[in-house]
Structure formats: structure tokens, C-alpha cells
Amino acid sequence: MYKSRQAQTAGERRRTAAAYVSRGIAMPGPGMTEGLSASVTTQNKMTKNHTYGGQTMGKYQLAVDVGGTFTDVFIFDEESKKISVTKVSSTPHNPAIGILTGIAQSAVSTKDIHLFSHGTTVGLNALITRRLPKTALVTTKGFRDVAEIRRGTKLDLWDAYADVAPPYIKRRDRFELVERVDYTGKLLAAVDEAEARELARLLKKRGVESVAICFMNAYTNGVNERKVKEILQEELPGVYICTSSETLPEIFEHERMSTTIVNAVLGPILSTYIRNLTDEMRDKGYEGDVLVLHSGGGVMTSETVPKFAARLASSGIAAGAIASSYIAKLCGYQNAIGLDMGGTSTDISLMYDGDLRITKDWYIEYGYPIGFPSIEILSIGAGGGSLAWIDEGGSLRNGPQSAGADPGPACYMKGGTEPTNTDANVLLGRLNTRLLSGQMTLNKEASRHVISEKIGKPFTLSDEEAANSILKVANANMCDALRLISIRRGYDPRDFALVVFGGAGALHGAYLAKEMEIPTVIVPPYPGITSAMGCLLVDVRHDISKTYLVNAADVTAEQLESEFQAMEEEAAGLLAAEGIGGEEMKLVRYLDMRYSGQWRSLEVAMNRPIHSLADALERFHQEHQREFAFSSREQSVEIYGLRVEAIGLVPKPNLPRYEPEGTLADALTGYRQVYFEEAGGYVATPIYDREQVPVASEFTGPAIVEQLDSTTVIPPGFCVKVDEYKNMILTYGEAK
């Protein structure tokens, strides 16, 4: 079972890992279906006992999504199956304060929480604001400028005046040592110990807080990196030190160096953050692990965070993708697109055949890639606060500029003077002027004024036509992004469901689905808190990878099996170190493959144990055909890399099913004039309180459904059904 780290000795961890590898237990196939059923079985066992390392714990599962503006709290009571949500202001100077405030407002005792998982923007904000510790890079002589040369590309290739952001470590803090390892891993020149100790004294004099070590070809042999790390640890006690051979032992020096640098600059920040948060939770009575969501769609414990800090650079964003895929599966869909629309941006993810798309090509700032596997998420500047403006050619534009939370949209009456999507929704009657159960009041006339002055009069449009045009441009931008993640990847959006959430997702979801011909829209029970819920739906996860260049025809199944077994032993050791017992461990193998002569590779799942490469080769050809509209079984294929995905199961909430109670009429709070272009103007539209809408309800648009954290717009022609989990399922053209 999932034992606490304190209750499991180092010897037990090693024996657990070795026993697990020797048993050869494998995840049943590359899909998620088998894994989910196994997770539910384990969850039921663990939830029933509430026991960790011999200690009886509380009954609540807590998930927190720490955003830049709000901290969302999702609490699941395992005994009553009740869900409660809380939304409080974030405290950027100390995120733990916002978390503890949210828990306090929920009226749940910290002592009664037995599982706490959260996503955080601490790493993201540190990189964006460049508030980083003094960090040094140690690299091979002659290579200290790799971090600045990058790949020589720019985000906007044709803008001669746009510069890529400067590297995270300045040139004066990048140092060189004489050493050399060739491409086969043969040691040609060992590190000179005296030179390394002299460098250590210089770093100490400069007050360095963190060091990244990245030697050329260290991915094949990290002996020189390990030696320098040992010397620096002796000379610089308390300084955070990481090596590229431990962080990302893969080919391509820029990507490996960039990932190691990001890991080094975030290591001290996130180590301090997680230590302080853990201490705060301990003081309040919480005895379990503080789990943190990482970009790959798993969680790490406080012990692992310092080692792989770069994985938390996009911690919170992945939670929404995980939640949307889970909700889609509850509704019976294996193909789904998640759309998380907040105040500033929209994050889009895609699940195909039960699996979220994974990428290793991502970054926080262009030019500085992070090589850890991450859920593929496409973010665009489209949110409730996105500004509507007119460009130099006289065309109406929307975003990516945003009014943010301060001053915010004009209707907030906090000084905003530009029209936003929120102002347009308020003017058209789609958004109530009283939000958050009356805690927030919006000024409709302020919205009308800025829309009329900035958009209506220049285009000679009525106020309503101008507001409607603002939303149509915003929807067009989001549809473009939906095409990028679906059609451009070889997926037909008509084969998917659209899961919309975030504070503003449900306002626009129906129109996006209609434009993209997506047949089904799913609105979760708590759209504004969905990302927080995603933090409870993940397992502990690590990814072990290595470069392995060989022609597929020249390698035997036995050779690959040996390589994977060595990687699995390391992966199982990581899970054991986090308190994961053998029964809760699952390992999945992947091969990176490509046609000979190409540099783009595709990842395919590998059977375990390996008897033949035939199945993997066939999957590669099929995936290449779908992704690039080309495949050739006559062309030779080479293996580029190996990866092992190590999964440790943790308890997950078993969301309750509801029985119909009351009638739809009980949920009707009144009518409001709402503008719908397709209906010819304003329509007296029924307004429903979502908390009172019973399951199994069916009704048609136009309608507005309001709740604490979001508002759902149901245009004319859409039919709504409420399932047993209280998800609203919208379909177009089925109205009776």
C-alpha cells in the first residue's frame, strides 16, 4: 500500500524496487482504460482503510490550484461523497497563505485531510519575472555560449527588431572547465580537481546560490559531471547543484543545457516553497505528503521536487487537461478537447483514444526549451479580460492584451477604459451584473460606454452589434487554436467532445462547437474549479529517458530488454523513495522512432517483455501516417531514444452519482433580456440556478445557467441534458 516515507526505510525501498522489477509487473497496454480501472480498485481499498504507514488519517481529499489571481480549493468528503469548493484571492508573496485561507474558509479541519495535492504557479512566475537566485553554469571549455546561441531561431522570424529573451544565466556567470567525453561515452580527458576547486572558491566568493553542470556528451557518460558535483558539494555546502546527466541524459546540447539551467534556477525557489508549505501544513495538523502536480500529468512528493524542479514550470496548467479528460471519460467519450478559458488566456488540450497528447517541445519563454515530457497544451491570449481593439488597417482585433484583474474590464469600475470580452457579455445580457453570489457587482452602463466609444462608433455599429462582433472575433481566435491542436495534428474535431471550463469557458463553448462542428459540449459541475479537481485525479509519476541511437534492424529484442530493465530499476527506485509500494507501481515503456535520415521522431508504446519489434514498427508507421500524412514500410527505421513512465497509484475521489430531486421549474430564477444574433436580437431568456437543476433534466436554448464560479450560455438550437454526475451535455440540432 501507499506507505508514508517516514515508515519505509531505505532498505525497504531498495528491496521493494528490486522485487517489483524482478516480478515483471507491467501496465496492461498503452491505453488509459486498464490503468483507470486499476486506480479505482486501489483507491477503494485505500480510501476504506484511511491508513498510511500504520497511521489512521482523515476522511477528506484536498486539491488546490494556485493561480495568479485566485486560489481554488476543491474538497472531497470520502464518507458522504460530498464536494465543496472555495475560491479566495491568491497571495503571490507567500502562496501558502492563500492555500491555508482557502482551507480555513472551507470549515474543514486540516487534521481531517489525508491527501493534499496542488498545482502552483510559483515556478512559472519566477521564470517570467526573472526573480531568480544567483545561479552559475559550469560547462566544457569552449561551450559556455551554447545557452545564448540557442538554435538561432526567433518566435517571429520576420521581425528584425524582436529579440529573444536573454538567457537565465548571464555570460559572466557561465564558467568552463577542461574535460572531454566522446560520443560513445569514452573518457578522453578527466576533470582536473585543482581547477574545479579553484572554480568552487570563485563561486563561493560571488555568493552563488545554485549551480548547473552541463558537459558535452555527458548524456553518454556522466563521470566528469559527478566528480565536479562532489567537489562543489564539499566546497559549497548548502548550494543547490544539479547535473545534466541526472536531469536529462539526452542528446542535443542546447535542449539538455537549457533544461538543466531551468532546473537549477528553480531548484532553490521551489525547495524553499515546498518546505515552507509542508511546515505550515504540519503545524496545522496535516500528517501526509504534500503532493505537487508537474507538467507531465503526475505528482511529486516534497522529497522529489528539488531534483526535478523544472517539471513544475507549468504545474497548474496541466491540472485542467487532466480534469477535462477524466470528465469526458465519465460521460463516455475517449476523444475530447479540453478548453480552459480564464481571465487572461485559454488553454487547450487534446485526448485521443483515452490518452492525452504528450510533448517534449515546450518552454515558458521562447528559445529556452524544457525537455521533460509534458501534456501538450496550446495557450492563446483569449480570456474574459482580453481587450477588443482596432489595428492600423482598421480591422477589429481581440487580445492577446488583457485588462487583467486590476484594473480589469470597464464593468469592474476599477479604472478600466478598454472594452473586453466580459464587457461584451455583460452588455448582451449573457453575464449577470451580480456575480459570486452577490459578492461582486458589475456596471453594465460602463461596459456600454467603452464598447460604444471604442468599437461601435468607429464601425458605425449599434452597441449590441459591436459587443456581438467583439465576441465573434474572440471565438474565431479560439477556433483557430482548436484547429491547430486537432486538424493540424490529423484529428477530425467532429470525432471529439468539447469540455469547457474555467471562469469563461462555458460562456463561449456552444458557439465554438457549432463553428467547429463538434457534436457535443460538456460543462462540468464546477467549471471555475475544474483545474483544482484535476490535482486529485493524478498519480505519482516519473519519466526516465535516455538517448539510444540504433537502426531498428540492427538491434535485438534481448538488447532492448536489457536496456529497459536497467531503466525500470531506476524508475522503481524513484517510486520506492516516495513511499510507493510494489502493488501500486506501474511501468510503461516507450520507444522514440524515426525514419532513417530524419530528425523528427515519434513515440510509440513498447510491449513488456519484448519478444519482437514488429508491433512497435507497425504502430510507428500508422502514427507517422496520421501525424504527417506519410508512411513507408520499405524505408528503414531507427530508434532514437528509450523512455520508461513510472506510475505510483494514489487515492482518487470516486465522484458521486446523483438521483433526480425536484423539478426544473424549481431552478428557474426568472427571465432576462439576452441578445442572440441568430434569434434576431433580444430574447426573453430563462435563467436557471445550476445548484437547483436536477439530474436527468432536459431543456432547450436559449437559456442561461448561473452558478457561483461560472455562467453557461445555451444559444437557440441547443439541447441540454444533465447526467448523473451533474455534467451538462449540450448538443446542437436536437431540440424538440
Side-chain angles (χ1 to χ4, degrees), residues 30 111 139 155 180 253 272 338 395 415 476 520 617 669 695 715:
K111 297 179 181 179
T139 189
L155 188 60
R180 182 63 68 179
E253 65 274 8
T272 301
S395 297
T520 304
L617 285 169
T669 62
V695 301

Side-chain angles (χ1 to χ4, degrees), residues 10-197:
E12 286 176 323
R13 294 168 186 167
R14 287 192 295 271
R15 289 192 293 273
T16 298
Y20 175 66
V21 173
S22 66
R23 288 201 307 271
I25 300 173
M27 191 172 186
M32 292 289 290
T33 305
E34 296 86 347
L36 279 173
S37 62
S39 298
V40 172
T41 301
T42 304
Q43 180 263 327
N44 288 339
K45 174 185 69 176
M46 297 166 71
T47 297
K48 181 178 179 180
N49 294 332
H50 291 172
T51 304
Y52 291 78
Q55 295 179 326
T56 301
M57 310 296 284
K59 64 177 182 177
Y60 294 103
Q61 295 185 29
L62 170 71
V64 180
D65 180 29
V66 183
T69 305
F70 291 106
T71 294
D72 301 329
V73 179
F74 180 96
I75 298 174
F76 180 73
D77 186 331
E78 295 176 338
E79 294 182 358
S80 68
K81 305 299 181 183
K82 290 184 178 180
I83 295 171
S84 58
V85 298
T86 304
K87 206 176 188 76
V88 299
S89 296
S90 294
T91 51
H93 64 285
N94 185 356
I97 295 176
I99 293 173
L100 294 173
T101 301
I103 297 174
Q105 289 194 10
S106 70
V108 170
S109 172
T110 310
K111 297 179 181 179
D112 293 332
I113 297 170
H114 82 82
L115 182 65
F116 170 41
S117 179
H118 78 299
T120 176
T121 56
V122 170
L124 174 69
N125 293 338
L127 292 176
I128 291 175
T129 62
R130 296 297 180 106
R131 294 174 181 170
L132 305 171
K134 188 173 182 58
T135 306
L137 170 70
V138 180
T139 189
T140 306
K141 187 173 181 60
F143 289 91
R144 73 169 177 168
D145 290 325
V146 167
E148 199 148 4
I149 297 170
R150 302 180 307 277
R151 290 295 171 196
T153 60
K154 296 195 301 183
L155 188 60
D156 188 346
L157 183 62
W158 307 110
D159 190 344
Y161 298 99
D163 292 325
V164 175
Y168 295 118
I169 301 178
K170 296 179 179 180
R171 194 172 194 272
R172 62 173 175 264
D173 295 321
R174 304 197 294 263
F175 302 92
E176 301 174 340
L177 291 177
V178 175
E179 71 85 36
R180 182 63 68 179
V181 171
D182 72 6
Y183 71 99
T184 67
K186 181 181 179 180
L187 180 63
L188 302 180
V191 170
D192 182 89
E193 183 172 340
E195 184 184 14
R197 292 193 183 278

Side-chain angles (χ1 to χ4, degrees), residues 677-689:
E677 181 184 28
E678 56 270 50
Y682 281 104
V683 177
T685 303
I687 311 298
Y688 296 103
D689 178 0

Side-chain angles (χ1 to χ4, degrees), residues 706-727:
E706 298 179 340
Q707 58 191 110
L708 173 69
D709 56 321
S710 187
T711 297
T712 303
V713 173
I714 302 156
F718 276 83
C719 178
V720 181
K721 298 179 182 179
V722 182
D723 72 4
E724 58 188 341
Y725 295 100
K726 290 191 174 182
N727 295 300

